[in-house]
Amino acid sequence: MVDFKQDDRDTFGELLSRTFRRKGSHRWDTCVFKKRDNEIYVVYRHSKGQVDPDGIKRNHKRTETVFRAQSLFALRQLELPTGPDTDQLLDSVFWKNLPLSE
């Protein structure tokens, strides 16, 4: 099993926003991260909770899609996939507070 939070910090940097939805044992996360060089990453992840052989239920990554932007302003210009995860992101306070100009 992967520790998503620590792995994300190491790979993508500081977490700026996270939205998620669930259905049964499935979970869909949409996260926005900022690296030290100010690059912005949007990560769409689908994971599923499963009981491992040791009897403990853990989330396992099923799919992950990453988009990169050069700045918070450029993030608005990304062509993100359509669907409920993007709708949640676009409706979030984080997205509504993004700068409209550089």
Side-chain angles (χ1 to χ4, degrees), residues 70-89:
Q70 295 296 325
S71 66
L72 285 171
F73 173 71
L75 179 58
R76 285 188 174 275
Q77 314 307 315
L78 285 179
E79 289 191 28
L80 299 172
T82 58
D85 301 317
T86 298
D87 293 343
Q88 269 189 317
L89 176 62

Side-chain angles (χ1 to χ4, degrees), residues 81 97 100:
N97 288 329
L100 297 173

Side-chain angles (χ1 to χ4, degrees), residues 27-45:
R27 179 180 169 115
W28 292 267
D29 289 279
T30 305
C31 304
V32 180
F33 297 94
K34 180 179 179 181
K35 266 213 144 149
R36 290 182 192 204
D37 58 4
N38 288 331
E39 281 192 326
I40 307 299
Y41 294 88
V42 179
V43 180
Y44 290 87
R45 179 180 298 129

